[in-house]
Every structure is written in structure tokens, then in C-alpha cells.
């Protein structure tokens, strides 16, 4: 079974992070520039949560706030489930489904953030793994 370390090996473990006092407008510009749906929020360089497009829609637009005078720290998602590079892709899919979330922070043994995975990463890895299994089965059938 594939694990999160396979996802991170494929996509890399670099994360895009902003300080908590960054305006939401600047976070949105960064997301658009990098074509990403979430940004890590830090306080003194330490992970404190994520800001996602969903956070923007629900905590800014629907609440009548303004992106240029609200900070990332004001709208972050905190207390997300924590996974490690050893976590299985299947368990991540279950966690994401049960918690209705699209992003998971990945922490190493020292409890340091080492990546972010998205539901798209999990789906891609699942499809890729299934294709490998199908190819192996075809090879086995042809060899008998």
C-alpha cells in the first residue's frame, strides 16, 4: 500500500507559508500566483494552521468582511488531523472524507511540518496505484 511519503516524493515537500499577520488579499494573490488552494500560516516561523479557499469563502465573503483588512491569522483552519509520511493513502482518504477537508499537514517524527497533501494528491496516487496493479495483473495473465 502506498504511503504519504510516495506523494511527497512525487510532488515535493516544499510548502508555501505566510506569517499570520499577512492580509487575506495578499494570501489570495499568492494562491492565484502559485495556482494552489491552501497556504500554511506561521507564527514566528512555526506552523499554526492553514488558510484555504474554503476559509476565504466562508469566513470573509459570507461574513461580510474585507480581504484587505483581515489577516490570515483571523481565518486559519487549526487543529487539522495530523498525518506522517508513513500514513497510508487510504487512511488519508478516510480522514479527509470523515472531516470534510481537502488538505492535510504532514509532520515528521520531530513534529516538524514536512509537507501538505491535498485530496487531489490522494486521488492521483490512488489512480496511479490502481493502474500499476492492473498492469501487473495483465503481465501475470499473459505469462500464464
Amino acid at each position: 500500500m502506498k504511503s504519504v511519503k510516495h506523494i511527497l516524493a512525487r510532488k515535493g515537500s516544499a510548502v508555501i507559508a505566510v506569517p499570520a499577520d499577512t492580509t487575506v488579499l495578499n494570501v489570495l494573490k499568492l494562491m492565484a500566483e502559485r495556482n494552489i488552494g491552501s497556504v500554511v500560516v506561521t507564527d514566528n516561523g512555526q506552523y499554526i494552521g492553514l488558510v484555504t479557499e474554503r476559509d476565504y469563502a466562508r469566513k470573509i465573503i459570507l461574513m461580510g468582511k474585507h480581504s484587505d483588512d483581515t489577516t490570515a491569522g483571523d481565518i486559519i483552519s487549526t487543529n487539522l488531523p495530523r498525518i506522517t509520511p508513513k500514513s497510508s493513502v487510504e487512511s488519508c482518504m478516510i480522514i479527509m472524507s470523515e472531516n470534510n477537508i481537502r488538505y492535510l499537514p504532514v509532520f515528521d517524527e520531530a513534529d516538524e511540518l514536512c509537507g501538505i497533501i491535498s485530496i487531489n494528491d490522494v486521488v492521483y496516487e490512488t489512480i496511479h496505484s490502481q493502474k500499476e496493479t492492473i498492469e501487473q495483473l495483465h503481465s501475470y495473465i499473459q505469462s500464464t
Side-chain angles (χ1 to χ4, degrees):
M1 174 160 298
K2 297 283 184 163
S3 65
V4 171
K5 72 179 176 185
H6 293 103
I7 294 174
L8 295 178
R10 177 181 46 82
K11 74 177 259 183
S13 59
V15 296
I16 307 301
V18 297
D21 61 355
T22 305
T23 66
V24 171
L25 182 61
N26 285 333
V27 171
L28 292 172
K29 287 178 181 178
L30 180 61
M31 284 187 197
E33 192 178 284
R34 300 290 182 105
N35 194 29
I36 55 177
S38 71
V39 173
V40 169
V41 180
T42 61
D43 183 26
N44 293 321
Q46 296 291 39
Y47 167 89
I48 59 170
L50 294 177
V51 169
T52 68
E53 294 166 326
R54 185 182 283 179
D55 291 321
Y56 173 71
R58 293 182 179 177
K59 298 173 185 173
I60 297 291
I61 298 297
L62 291 178
M63 301 304 285
K65 295 182 179 180
H66 298 280
S67 303
D68 53 355
D69 63 3
T70 305
T71 67
D74 293 333
I75 67 166
I76 60 173
S77 291
T78 58
N79 300 320
L80 294 169
R82 290 175 168 242
I83 60 169
T84 70
K86 294 179 183 177
S87 299
S88 72
V89 170
E90 182 181 332
S91 69
C92 292
M93 193 176 295
I94 291 168
I95 291 168
M96 290 171 147
S97 294
E98 287 178 349
N99 292 281
N100 195 27
I101 55 177
R102 298 176 183 166
Y103 302 93
L104 286 172
V106 184
F107 294 88
D108 63 18
E109 292 82 20
D111 206 32
E112 293 292 321
L113 182 69
C114 63
I116 300 290
I117 65 165
S118 70
I119 190 67
N120 288 343
D121 297 326
V122 171
V123 168
Y124 177 87
E125 197 64 41
T126 301
I127 291 169
H128 183 71
S129 182
Q130 288 175 347
K131 283 182 181 180
E132 286 178 351
T133 300
I134 290 168
E135 289 172 8
Q136 290 170 356
L137 289 171
H138 277 296
S139 294
Y140 175 76
I141 291 169
Q142 291 175 349
S143 69
T144 58

